[in-house]
Amino acid sequence: MHKHDKFIWVYASLGLWLTVSPFLLLGGEKSLMNARINETAVLMLGGLVALWVACLNHPRQDLMQAVAGLTLGSSMIAAPMVLDLNESSVAVWNAQVIGAVFMLSAFFEFYDHWTGHKVQ
């Protein structure tokens, strides 16, 4: 595996999960109702941004990937609170856990860049 392959696979797989998860977690048709539209939007937009970040695979863009991952992760954690979504919803917990994984992956990317070590 190349240096950034793990990073790309984490973002691509979690991006696909976030894009599909509103329909799996919120019950299909319920995800399009007005009560669930904000939760669906947060998850789907987060998934599309994660897929975009996964496409940044040029070696010069490693810090850009990490900054985008840190921004995406923190926004996925903060969005449910800012949008005043139902805190006990499965979709909110999903967004916050996935946001934490994005941030952890970005921190590993920063560590790898600054120390010159390859994170295993």
Side-chain angles (χ1 to χ4, degrees):
M1 279 192 155
H2 294 290
K3 181 179 178 182
H4 299 288
D5 284 350
K6 292 178 187 174
F7 185 83
I8 291 169
W9 277 106
V10 166
Y11 276 73
S13 60
L14 293 179
L16 287 173
W17 167 250
L18 284 174
T19 305
V20 174
S21 67
F23 303 103
L24 299 175
L25 297 176
L26 300 177
E29 294 177 18
K30 291 182 181 179
S31 64
L32 302 177
M33 294 174 49
N34 289 337
R36 300 288 188 174
I37 196 75
N38 288 338
E39 293 172 358
T40 302
V42 166
L43 292 174
M44 291 187 77
L45 287 175
L48 293 175
V49 170
L51 289 172
W52 174 75
V53 171
C55 291
L56 300 174
N57 60 0
H58 193 274
R60 293 179 140 181
Q61 297 172 334
D62 61 344
L63 280 181
M64 188 171 150
Q65 285 177 325
V67 169
L70 193 61
T71 304
L72 176 62
S74 59
S75 65
M76 292 296 291
I77 292 172
M81 293 178 264
V82 172
L83 296 174
D84 196 30
L85 300 178
N86 184 6
E87 293 179 9
S88 63
S89 172
V90 173
V92 170
W93 280 99
N94 182 43
Q96 291 178 338
V97 168
I98 298 297
V101 172
F102 284 146
M103 289 182 69
L104 184 64
S105 177
F107 285 135
F108 277 127
E109 189 70 21
F110 278 127
Y111 174 78
D112 184 31
H113 179 77
W114 284 329
T115 61
H117 296 116
K118 184 173 182 178
V119 178
Q120 297 295 326

